[in-house]
Amino acid sequence: MIWQIDENKQIHPQLVDEITKRIIQGAYSPGEKIPSVRELALEAKVNPNTMQKALLELEEKKIIETRRTTGKFVTANEADIDELKKTISTQIARKFAGEVKSLGLNSETVLEMIRSEFDD
Amino acid sequence: MIWQIDENKQIHPQLVDEITKRIIQGAYSPGEKIPSVRELALEAKVNPNTMQKALLELEEKKIIETRRTTGKFVTANEADIDELKKTISTQIARKFAGEVKSLGLNSETVLEMIRSEFDD
Amino acid sequence: MIWQIDENKQIHPQLVDEITKRIIQGAYSPGEKIPSVRELALEAKVNPNTMQKALLELEEKKIIETRRTTGKFVTANEADIDELKKTISTQIARKFAGEVKSLGLNSETVLEMIRSEFDD
Amino acid sequence: MIWQIDENKQIHPQLVDEITKRIIQGAYSPGEKIPSVRELALEAKVNPNTMQKALLELEEKKIIETRRTTGKFVTANEADIDELKKTISTQIARKFAGEVKSLGLNSETVLEMIRSEFDD
DNA sequence: GTGGTCTAGACCACT
DNA sequence: GTGGTCTAGACCACG
């Protein structure tokens, strides 16, 4: 699985986002074990410390949980994951809408642009 | 004019974006003088050096130009500015489309979300 | 290693030239790490920020590259470095030729002057 | 007559150099009147104050002289001018030789490069 | 200890 | 008062 990390921004927020995305997509499913910190760090070409920090943040958000000596697991509750998906989606949409509005684009133009992006 | 700067991200890219936005909106028009470095820095509550760096980047992108001891001016060529507007718009749209696609949302859902954002 | 900086001219272009020269000479070889920003700044008796700016310019010219938290390295590609040497040499020669031509000197005189300089 | 001024360097030294060059070439001959400060400033697209400062420096170097209410004149003494020409030429040659030596070029290569520049 | 960023404050050339 | 440059010193993320 590919990790796209921009070295010029802070790294662990990017890791958090990427893992969250994977959970939402179902790449890591509710109740499932996720790869070990070392494995993930290797994949992402990132220092294990940094990956550890990212996973800690996800745990604080109750998105994953640690079972000692066994590994880290995605939260079992599917409803929570669904809720998460909605929250993130609207966050992204809101941010996007804000940006295009501030450029002075009208909704027609914007919707058209989005449609053409989806036709690719 | 209001500056919304997030102190936790790098500042000068945010300044670049903000000024670019103003030029696209027409708040600063082609051929016109923009406020002095010091003035802008004061407005944005930012160190003049930081603003200077942002303006330098805009100059490298040929969006503004400097007349020594006189001030900085928006590029006179209106076609360039229009081009800029298109480029930026599609950039934003493409990024957004990429994000929502990677979350596994379909175009219907996405368009609906955008519409509801525009109804606010 | 000695740094000859003329305080009355802009400093960072001089730093750029000096470092470029060292790379061409092979004092810093392709693929090798160069001293840290702070170290170079200390050597050159210059503020680290100023050195940083100079190195940034070299990076934009693809002469050096940065590995975050590790250091800065000369571009590995030796052919590029060789190309660089040629480009710089002809640049200097062209500028010189332009100057002496505009003084109305003929090629004989010029060549003779150069020869005598090399006899020192 | 064309003036090539680089706005990013200090201006008046450039003016000094340019005028000196013209005198050496004979564009302004020994004993002759040179154009007025205003005229020169206009030609060079430079503030009259700046041109004035440049001419003052030339006067201090005894290259030109002011006759009140009449204008400024090139020093009458042709030997002086000739001396000047030699001094400047060797200065330029010495600087050039220094640069190419520090790049590690040998005299053969250098002489060849110069020749080819003169063949243009 | 590495690079990167920001602030504060100073000085310069030019108009 | 304009842009441009430099210094000094601080803090951050990362390894």
Side-chain angles (χ1 to χ4, degrees):
Chain A
M1 202 159 272
I2 308 153
W3 293 77
Q4 269 293 40
I5 303 297
D6 178 351
E7 285 207 327
N8 300 312
K9 294 182 199 160
Q10 281 182 230
I11 294 183
H12 66 262
Q14 298 183 65
L15 300 179
V16 169
D17 284 355
E18 177 64 22
I19 299 169
T20 307
K21 204 179 74 187
R22 290 179 183 196
I23 292 174
I24 289 177
Q25 292 173 330
Y28 305 146
S29 314
E32 246 185 32
K33 185 176 184 302
I34 63 176
S36 78
V37 176
R38 282 179 197 169
E39 224 170 315
L40 288 170
L42 209 70
E43 256 185 52
K45 288 173 189 167
V46 147
N47 188 288
N49 287 335
T50 312
M51 183 59 81
Q52 172 68 19
K53 201 168 171 183
L55 293 171
L56 197 68
E57 284 183 33
L58 285 168
E59 194 155 2
E60 280 166 3
K61 292 186 190 168
K62 314 281 187 198
I63 295 174
I64 63 175
E65 56 191 34
T66 301
R67 301 192 199 141
R68 302 195 51 191
T69 75
T70 325
K72 295 181 183 295
F73 294 75
V74 178
T75 295
N77 192 332
E78 272 199 66
D80 281 5
I81 302 296
D82 227 61
E83 188 58 34
L84 182 64
K85 180 168 181 173
K86 268 184 207 144
T87 314
I88 303 234
S89 305
T90 47
Q91 251 175 36
I92 294 179
R94 184 151 302 155
K95 182 168 160 251
F96 170 69
E99 283 171 345
V100 291
K101 276 181 195 167
S102 79
L103 285 182
L105 301 180
N106 58 35
S107 64
E108 288 303 308
T109 321
V110 173
L111 290 170
E112 193 41 55
M113 287 193 329
I114 300 296
R115 263 187 222 105
S116 77
E117 287 300 330
F118 268 90
D119 289 347
D120 296 344
Chain B
M1 209 163 265
I2 308 152
W3 292 79
Q4 267 297 36
I5 303 298
D6 177 352
E7 287 205 327
N8 302 311
K9 295 185 199 155
Q10 279 182 229
I11 295 183
H12 68 263
Q14 299 183 63
L15 301 179
V16 168
D17 285 354
E18 176 64 22
I19 299 169
T20 307
K21 206 179 71 186
R22 293 182 180 191
I23 291 174
I24 289 177
Q25 294 173 330
Y28 306 145
S29 315
E32 250 184 29
K33 186 172 181 308
I34 63 177
S36 80
V37 178
R38 288 155 169 78
E39 218 171 318
L40 288 170
L42 210 70
E43 258 184 50
K45 289 175 188 165
V46 147
N47 186 286
N49 282 334
T50 310
M51 184 57 80
Q52 169 74 6
K53 196 171 176 184
L55 293 169
L56 192 65
E57 286 180 33
L58 285 170
E59 189 156 11
E60 281 166 1
K61 291 186 191 167
K62 314 277 186 198
I63 295 175
I64 61 174
E65 58 188 33
T66 299
R67 300 190 202 140
R68 296 262 264 106
T69 73
T70 319
K72 291 178 179 292
F73 294 75
V74 178
T75 296
N77 193 334
E78 268 195 74
D80 280 6
I81 302 296
D82 229 61
E83 189 61 34
L84 182 65
K85 180 168 184 172
K86 273 184 204 145
T87 312
I88 304 246
S89 305
T90 49
Q91 252 176 35
I92 293 178
R94 183 152 300 155
K95 182 168 160 250
F96 171 69
E99 284 171 343
V100 291
K101 276 181 193 168
S102 80
L103 285 182
L105 302 181
N106 59 35
S107 63
E108 287 304 309
T109 321
V110 172
L111 290 170
E112 193 42 53
M113 286 193 329
I114 301 294
R115 262 187 223 106
S116 78
E117 288 298 332
F118 267 91
D119 288 348
D120 297 346
Chain C
M1 208 160 264
I2 308 153
W3 292 78
Q4 268 295 41
I5 303 297
D6 177 351
E7 288 204 327
N8 302 311
K9 295 183 199 157
Q10 279 182 228
I11 295 182
H12 68 262
Q14 298 182 64
L15 301 178
V16 168
D17 284 354
E18 176 64 22
I19 299 168
T20 307
K21 205 179 71 187
R22 291 180 181 194
I23 291 174
I24 289 177
Q25 292 173 332
Y28 306 145
S29 313
E32 252 184 27
K33 186 175 181 307
I34 64 176
S36 80
V37 178
R38 288 155 170 76
E39 219 171 318
L40 288 170
L42 210 68
E43 259 185 50
K45 288 175 191 167
V46 146
N47 185 285
N49 282 333
T50 310
M51 185 56 82
Q52 170 74 6
K53 194 170 178 185
L55 293 170
L56 191 66
E57 285 179 31
L58 285 170
E59 191 156 11
E60 281 166 1
K61 290 187 191 166
K62 315 277 186 198
I63 295 174
I64 62 176
E65 59 189 32
T66 299
R67 300 192 202 140
R68 295 261 263 106
T69 74
T70 320
K72 291 176 179 291
F73 295 75
V74 178
T75 294
N77 192 333
E78 268 195 75
D80 281 6
I81 302 295
D82 229 60
E83 188 61 33
L84 182 65
K85 181 168 184 171
K86 272 184 205 144
T87 313
I88 303 247
S89 306
T90 48
Q91 250 174 38
I92 293 178
R94 183 151 304 153
K95 182 169 160 249
F96 171 69
E99 283 171 344
V100 291
K101 276 181 193 168
S102 80
L103 285 182
L105 301 180
N106 59 34
S107 64
E108 287 306 308
T109 322
V110 172
L111 290 169
E112 194 41 55
M113 287 192 329
I114 300 296
R115 263 187 223 103
S116 78
E117 288 298 332
F118 266 90
D119 288 348
D120 297 346
Chain D
M1 203 160 271
I2 307 154
W3 292 76
Q4 269 294 40
I5 303 297
D6 177 351
E7 285 207 329
N8 300 311
K9 293 184 199 154
Q10 279 180 230
I11 294 183
H12 67 260
Q14 298 184 65
L15 299 179
V16 168
D17 284 355
E18 176 64 22
I19 299 169
T20 307
K21 205 179 72 186
R22 291 181 181 193
I23 291 174
I24 288 176
Q25 293 172 331
Y28 306 145
S29 314
E32 246 186 31
K33 185 175 183 305
I34 62 177
S36 77
V37 176
R38 283 176 195 172
E39 222 170 316
L40 288 171
L42 208 71
E43 255 184 54
K45 289 176 189 165
V46 147
N47 188 292
N49 286 336
T50 312
M51 183 58 81
Q52 172 66 17
K53 201 168 172 184
L55 293 171
L56 196 67
E57 282 182 36
L58 285 168
E59 193 156 4
E60 279 166 4
K61 291 186 191 167
K62 313 282 185 196
I63 294 174
I64 62 175
E65 56 191 34
T66 301
R67 301 192 200 142
R68 301 193 54 190
T69 75
T70 324
K72 295 182 182 296
F73 293 76
V74 179
T75 294
N77 191 335
E78 272 199 65
D80 281 4
I81 301 296
D82 227 59
E83 189 58 33
L84 181 65
K85 179 168 184 174
K86 270 184 206 145
T87 314
I88 302 233
S89 305
T90 48
Q91 251 175 34
I92 292 178
R94 185 151 300 155
K95 180 165 162 256
F96 170 70
E99 283 171 346
V100 291
K101 277 180 192 167
S102 79
L103 286 182
L105 301 180
N106 59 35
S107 64
E108 289 302 310
T109 321
V110 172
L111 290 170
E112 192 42 54
M113 287 194 328
I114 300 294
R115 263 186 223 105
S116 78
E117 287 299 331
F118 267 91
D119 289 348
D120 296 345

